[in-house]
Amino acid sequence: MTLTQLPLFEVDESEGQILSVEDIIGFDLKTSKDIRKARPKMEQYRKHSKQMTEKMKEVAKKNKQRDF
């Protein structure tokens, strides 16, 4: 098995997602082995981030309705 050094972004081929610089730095990803090891934490973070984004959209929508 060959470990590769990551560029500014990396494609996570198992999920077809692009890992951003924030992912690489935030999860301390240096090799493809690091990606595999961090995958469960990254999935949990993405799920939480999506939930928080939806909640913020709801709050913004409610605030917008009150403004009128």
Side-chain angles (χ1 to χ4, degrees), residues 15-41:
E15 295 186 24
Q17 293 182 338
I18 294 177
L19 302 175
S20 67
V21 173
E22 291 84 5
D23 291 331
I24 294 169
I25 293 170
F27 291 101
D28 196 29
L29 305 176
K30 295 182 180 93
T31 65
S32 55
K33 183 178 178 181
D34 294 338
I35 294 173
R36 289 189 295 275
K37 189 175 177 181
R39 187 170 289 129
K41 286 182 185 178

Side-chain angles (χ1 to χ4, degrees), residues 44-66:
Q44 183 180 13
Y45 173 78
R46 287 182 179 132
K47 182 179 176 184
H48 177 73
S49 180
K50 186 176 180 180
Q51 290 171 341
M52 295 309 298
T53 298
E54 291 302 316
K55 286 182 181 183
M56 292 306 296
K57 285 180 182 179
E58 289 175 23
V59 169
K61 185 177 178 181
K62 287 178 186 177
N63 287 341
K64 185 176 180 181
Q65 290 173 347
R66 270 193 298 188

